[in-house]
Amino acid sequence: MMMIVHVLSRKEWEAAVINGVYRAASLEKEGFIHCSPVDKIVAVANYNYHGTKGLVLLCLDASKIKSVVIWEDLYNEGREYPHIYGELNLDAVSHTYDFEPNEEGRFSLPPDLENMQ
């Protein structure tokens, strides 16, 4: 299984569960849902969400995502990230984690994901 991850607010996740599908705001604005490989999510979260509480980390089985997933380096960083070009079917979500920062506002991987880096 090729796992990728996505961070969203608990409120967004709860709405997705009710609706049966997830459509990130970035899908409307940029045409895709931002994701990350497991080994890069902590750096991404610390950069984009430093100190933000109430987040959820979705673990996605990339092979089950019905929309197109493209790995690309959109910001010329020399690193490719997976982007989902369409809505996310919830049966691709293999696990969810509460994703809270520590007292300094920094994130770390849930313990059982650390060995997947």
Side-chain angles (χ1 to χ4, degrees), residues 36-47 99 106-109:
S36 177
V38 174
D39 65 334
K40 294 181 180 153
I41 193 58
V42 169
V44 168
N46 285 327
Y47 180 79
F99 199 50
R106 299 188 57 77
F107 293 90
S108 58
L109 279 178

Side-chain angles (χ1 to χ4, degrees), residues 25 37-39 54 64 77 80 105 107 112:
V38 174
D39 65 334
K64 292 184 178 180
E77 297 176 340
E80 291 187 341
F107 293 90
D112 57 329

Side-chain angles (χ1 to χ4, degrees), residues 3 38 59 95-97 109-117:
M3 185 174 26
V38 174
C59 295
H95 201 82
T96 63
Y97 294 91
L109 279 178
D112 57 329
L113 289 182
E114 289 179 6
N115 63 349
M116 299 185 103
Q117 293 192 67

